[in-house]
Amino acid sequence: KSRSGGCIFASGACVYAWSSTQQSTALSTFESELYALVLGTRYLLALRRITSFILNATLPTSLVFCDNQSVIAQLLRRDLSSRSRHIRTNLGFIYEAIDNRDIHVEYIRSAANPANTHTAAENRDRFAQNTAVLSGRAELP
């Protein structure tokens, strides 16, 4: 099974980071990345709703990074073919979050993605850079 990992930043600080084994076996890299995006968006929406309640204010759209260009292309295309039946609920969840202006999804290169530290072995320099980003000592490259 694949691993999902991610981090949520607020005001330049990592407020939540996770790494977990995906509940279902992904049939492709696209599907695995979509599952990770859905998981991260669920966490993010929960934090947004709590923060909005406490502040009694509407929050601006949150920027979400994904390092899989196929997922980004699918989100732009919004084509649900019969081959995508098994992932329709996940895509629909992300489409709704985008349509409600809760999130905006953008591409980030894998080499610049600090969340990769949670899912894959990295060389020493990249691990140090990602740890610095996650701890707030450095910004995204």
Side-chain angles (χ1 to χ4, degrees):
K1 290 188 176 181
S2 299
R3 292 196 67 79
S4 292
C7 47
I8 297 174
F9 289 90
S11 299
C14 180
V15 295
Y16 188 69
W18 72 92
S19 177
S20 62
T21 303
Q22 292 181 351
Q23 297 302 311
S24 56
T25 303
L27 302 176
S28 65
T29 304
F30 167 85
E31 192 175 337
S32 178
E33 291 287 343
L34 178 62
Y35 292 154
L37 179 63
V38 168
L39 180 62
T41 301
R42 285 185 181 145
Y43 292 143
L44 176 62
L45 292 180
L47 285 172
R48 283 179 56 84
R49 289 193 174 97
I50 289 169
T51 304
S52 181
F53 176 76
I54 291 170
L55 298 176
N56 194 25
T58 302
L59 300 175
T61 302
S62 296
L63 180 59
V64 175
F65 289 111
C66 179
D67 63 2
N68 187 289
Q69 292 182 350
S70 296
V71 172
I72 304 289
Q74 176 63 40
L75 294 177
L76 295 173
R77 190 172 50 245
R78 291 189 178 227
D79 176 33
L80 294 174
S81 67
S82 61
R83 291 177 39 190
S84 63
R85 277 191 323 240
H86 63 292
I87 58 172
R88 279 187 185 181
T89 304
N90 292 314
L91 285 169
F93 174 75
I94 298 297
Y95 293 155
E96 184 176 341
I98 292 170
D99 292 345
N100 290 339
R101 299 185 188 219
D102 287 322
I103 67 169
H104 174 74
V105 181
E106 287 187 10
Y107 175 73
I108 186 172
R109 293 180 336 354
S110 293
N113 187 353
N116 279 348
T117 299
H118 300 297
T119 60
E122 296 182 322
N123 68 41
R124 184 182 62 207
D125 295 335
R126 196 161 153 196
F127 179 78
Q129 172 63 30
N130 288 341
T131 302
V133 169
L134 291 172
S135 67
R137 295 180 315 228
E139 294 185 17
L140 286 171

